Amino acid sequence: MTEYSKLRRIMVWTARIGRCRGFGVQSPWAYRMVRYVINEHWPYYAYARLAARYPRLGVVERRVCELCLRLANRLQPGRVLTYGVDGTALPDYIRAGCRRAVVDGGGDGTADKADFAVIAPCEGFRRVFESFCAAACDDSAAMLLDIRRDKTMRRLWRKVLEERPGVVTFDLYYCGLVFFDKKRYKQNYIINF
């Protein structure tokens, strides 16, 4: 994951200040997701133990890992795909959120039967994401890391926003969340994370 300077993080936070804590979100489901999962500030049961185990994580990387813990806790996925993710921190955070989750590194590039996917930009990430989307059912979710990293990632994120049917997306600047649910209206929320 790209490391962001403190000045850059402050600029992003300031630019999105009107979009924190669920302000302007009309959907009750999306409001609860923003308020109690994405921007939850209470310390979870495993934060201290995991922070002691991984003391060298950057600020943004730790926040993304903690978000994955909260998402796994909320979604309770059976199988989680992590593709292009370096290290063991993220899988450990996911397992702390859902002990029954089987975390697969996705070395073979297949994404079928996964309930939740965390995909980082690397060679083959687009194919893996498309494979995950094709097999996704209601209540599946994906996290795309570094959606602002380069032109390829920005183009993929724009394609998800414009072309992918049956999704609700959350643009957190550092990553993007994609929730699949055909019962919900297609919507994109820009959130200060």
Side-chain angles (χ1 to χ4, degrees):
M1 176 148 201
T2 305
E3 184 57 39
Y4 295 90
S5 69
K6 186 171 185 173
L7 179 61
R8 175 82 178 238
R9 290 192 320 266
I10 290 170
M11 288 173 35
V12 168
W13 189 85
T14 305
R16 293 176 172 224
I17 195 148
R19 298 179 183 269
C20 25
R21 310 285 289 169
F23 297 139
V25 176
Q26 301 300 316
S27 164
W29 174 85
Y31 178 80
R32 283 190 303 273
M33 185 60 67
V34 171
R35 189 79 165 85
Y36 303 116
V37 178
I38 294 171
N39 280 331
E40 176 63 67
H41 295 294
W42 287 98
Y44 269 59
Y45 47 87
Y47 284 177
R49 178 177 52 84
L50 289 166
R53 185 170 182 187
Y54 300 102
R56 295 183 186 214
L57 290 180
V59 174
V60 173
E61 189 176 4
R62 183 169 311 283
R63 291 190 71 203
V64 169
C65 285
E66 289 174 352
L67 174 61
C68 284
L69 183 150
R70 294 189 302 268
L71 283 167
N73 190 34
R74 174 68 170 240
L75 300 172
Q76 291 296 304
R79 180 170 178 246
V80 179
L81 171 72
T82 58
Y83 187 79
V85 176
D86 295 332
T88 59
L90 188 89
D92 282 352
Y93 273 85
I94 291 170
R95 282 188 207 99
C98 180
R99 296 190 198 292
R100 71 179 184 91
V102 175
V103 181
D104 179 13
D108 57 358
T110 58
D112 58 337
K113 298 181 184 166
D115 303 312
F116 179 46
V118 181
I119 301 171
C122 63
E123 186 175 333
F125 77 94
R126 184 183 297 262
R127 177 182 45 79
V128 171
F129 180 66
E130 291 298 329
S131 172
F132 178 79
C133 291
C137 59
D138 287 354
D139 299 327
S140 294
M143 175 187 282
L144 294 172
L145 299 175
D146 289 332
I147 60 173
R148 305 249 190 264
R149 176 181 170 173
D150 56 21
K151 189 183 279 189
T152 305
M153 284 305 292
R154 288 190 299 270
R155 192 177 307 128
L156 176 65
W157 184 247
R158 199 171 326 111
K159 183 178 177 183
V160 169
L161 298 179
E162 294 170 358
E163 299 175 12
R164 179 76 45 203
V167 297
V168 176
T169 55
F170 295 88
D171 178 343
L172 309 179
Y173 190 84
Y174 307 107
C175 62
L177 298 177
V178 182
F179 290 90
F180 297 84
D181 193 342
K182 293 181 181 72
K183 297 183 298 274
R184 300 192 191 287
Y185 290 105
K186 184 175 182 63
Q187 182 74 37
N188 179 49
Y189 298 100
I190 299 173
I191 305 298
N192 193 359
F193 170 67

